[in-house]
Amino acid sequence: MFAPKLMPGDEIRVIAPATSMIILKEAQVDLAVERLTNLGFNVTFGKNADAHDEFFSSSIAERIEDLHDAFADPNVKGILTAIGGYNSNQLLKYIDFDLIAANPKILCGYSDITALQLAIYQKTGLVTYSGPHFSSFGVKHGLEYTMESFLQAVTNDAPYEIVPSETWSDDAWYLDQENRTFHEQNGYLVLQEGEAEGRLVGGNLCTMNLLQGSEFMLSLKDSILFIEDDEESHSRSFDRDLQSLLHLPDADSIKALLIGRFQKNSNITEEALRKIIFSKEELRNIPIIANVNFGHVQPFATLPIGATATVKAAAGQTEIFIEQKE
């Protein structure tokens, strides 16, 4: 189930289902609002978006209220999460999934928001979007690729491609908007060649694993699996998190694997990544592409969870096409 696409004049509601929006700098919030307004959208905020406690989050009741209000309000057409965090999974058993199914809307975010997105898809069939938070639109430099992919995903029904960006950056941009380093990117990294078509499923790897064994975990059957993790991940934790996912009953039918570029502080080298991937018998004979533009390294694409994707990898060349149809 695809929600109606966003159009100029539509209202986008910003909610904070994990970390409170209060941690964002005012200038970053202002720039994000300006960017989205210039795209033709009307930005509003959940009434509890700035609420916060000693964990830099807010109560389950406050976060659920904002989530439900956003889906129930007929004026709201799209929902952006303010930022990620650690505790979106606290909300899952309190969500009114019937309300969401009856009011399908664009929901976009990434990282810890993966818990919400996969649960919503599993419970309702609604395609959600692994892509920028509201805070992501507060990046001053180098946002063009992220913006273009977001618009391709949420304002258009046409197929689109997740092409490699010309550059990438892993700076703490939220601390210093001007002192940025952009590295040249010469395509993606092909770890295994092949072609595949399947259902696009994934997000933040360690957050996905929080759902294992619960009613909120979705099947990996016939999936194009995309995974990424942040700088707290390292080669050994990535290895065991991936292995845990591969133990799931339907993992033997994964059609392709896409891996988002790791942050520099993860210290996961190409050599280490190859060794980890090639040690997995479950991943033999499927196309595997790494350093793909999604996750915690900028810029990043927007990926619709539940959409059909086609992946090709051969002779160092890649194609990742997304189809947006039910």
Side-chain angles (χ1 to χ4, degrees):
M1 177 170 60
F2 282 84
K5 297 295 183 174
L6 297 181
M7 300 175 61
D10 280 350
E11 178 179 339
I12 292 180
R13 177 70 52 83
V14 179
I15 62 173
T19 300
S20 170
M21 203 178 80
I22 198 73
I23 73 163
L24 303 181
K25 294 180 179 179
E26 184 178 354
Q28 185 182 344
V29 171
D30 291 344
L31 179 56
V33 170
E34 179 184 340
R35 283 248 175 75
L36 291 165
T37 301
N38 288 342
L39 291 174
F41 302 123
N42 175 32
V43 181
T44 60
F45 297 91
K47 74 175 188 178
N48 301 306
D50 282 335
H52 59 284
D53 56 20
E54 66 269 34
F55 302 110
F56 298 101
S57 184
S58 58
S59 71
I60 291 173
E62 286 172 318
R63 287 178 281 151
I64 283 290
E65 181 182 21
D66 280 2
L67 178 68
H68 286 167
D69 284 351
F71 274 101
D73 189 334
N75 294 319
V76 174
K77 307 302 180 186
I79 304 167
L80 284 176
T81 52
I83 195 170
Y86 290 90
N87 58 352
S88 291
N89 69 328
Q90 292 177 340
L91 308 183
L92 301 186
K93 68 178 181 179
Y94 303 100
I95 295 174
D96 184 345
F97 291 103
D98 290 336
L99 170 70
I100 292 175
N103 299 276
K105 296 178 183 183
I106 301 283
L107 170 65
C108 188
Y110 72 106
S111 192
D112 187 64
I113 308 304
T114 298
L116 284 184
Q117 294 169 320
L118 297 185
I120 288 172
Y121 181 73
Q122 170 68 3
K123 288 292 191 177
T124 70
L126 176 64
V127 171
T128 59
Y129 295 82
S130 183
H133 297 305
F134 166 73
S135 56
S136 307
F137 291 93
V139 176
K140 192 171 181 180
H141 303 293
L143 192 67
E144 294 82 6
Y145 176 102
T146 302
M147 290 260 285
E148 181 180 357
S149 184
F150 174 75
L151 292 174
Q152 286 177 322
V154 305
T155 68
N156 201 314
D157 289 324
Y160 66 101
E161 186 176 2
I162 309 298
V163 298
S165 61
E166 294 182 359
T167 62
W168 62 271
S169 176
D170 188 29
D171 300 324
W173 58 270
Y174 44 88
L175 299 178
D176 187 345
Q177 290 271 33
E178 300 300 338
N179 186 25
R180 302 288 307 279
T181 301
F182 293 91
H183 307 273
E184 183 179 353
Q185 175 165 255
N186 185 23
Y188 295 144
L189 173 62
V190 175
L191 296 179
Q192 284 183 180
E193 297 185 345
E195 297 186 14
E197 179 178 314
R199 184 174 53 113
L200 198 58
V201 168
N204 182 254
L205 176 58
C206 66
T207 305
M208 283 187 74
N209 278 342
L210 299 178
L211 304 183
Q212 286 201 36
S214 76
E215 63 188 283
F216 308 109
M217 184 64 187
L218 75 180
S219 169
L220 301 180
K221 182 176 176 59
D222 296 332
S223 65
I224 304 292
L225 177 64
F226 71 97
I227 54 174
E228 60 85 23
D229 228 321
D230 66 7
E231 62 184 4
E232 295 181 11
S233 175
H234 50 78
S235 56
R236 288 178 293 177
S237 63
F238 172 73
D239 188 352
R240 73 174 183 176
D241 283 343
L242 175 59
Q243 187 63 63
S244 180
L245 208 57
L246 295 177
H247 284 156
L248 290 173
D250 294 324
D252 58 355
S253 68
I254 294 172
K255 299 296 187 183
L257 177 63
L258 306 177
I259 304 171
R261 181 182 289 277
F262 290 97
Q263 293 190 267
K264 290 180 291 186
N265 285 347
S266 290
N267 292 316
I268 299 181
T269 63
E270 179 180 330
E271 180 184 10
L273 182 57
R274 287 183 182 275
K275 190 161 188 177
I276 291 168
I277 294 301
F278 296 157
S279 74
K280 311 299 179 193
E281 289 285 343
E282 303 94 332
L283 297 177
R284 294 286 170 88
N285 305 315
I286 65 170
I288 302 177
I289 306 172
N291 292 346
V292 183
N293 281 105
F294 62 85
H296 286 76
V297 176
Q298 294 193 349
F300 49 87
T302 298
L303 282 68
I305 297 170
T308 299
T310 304
V311 172
K312 297 180 182 180
Q317 300 300 307
T318 61
E319 290 183 6
I320 305 170
F321 276 101
I322 311 294
E323 292 185 29
Q324 303 195 77
K325 60 183 181 182
E326 296 185 27

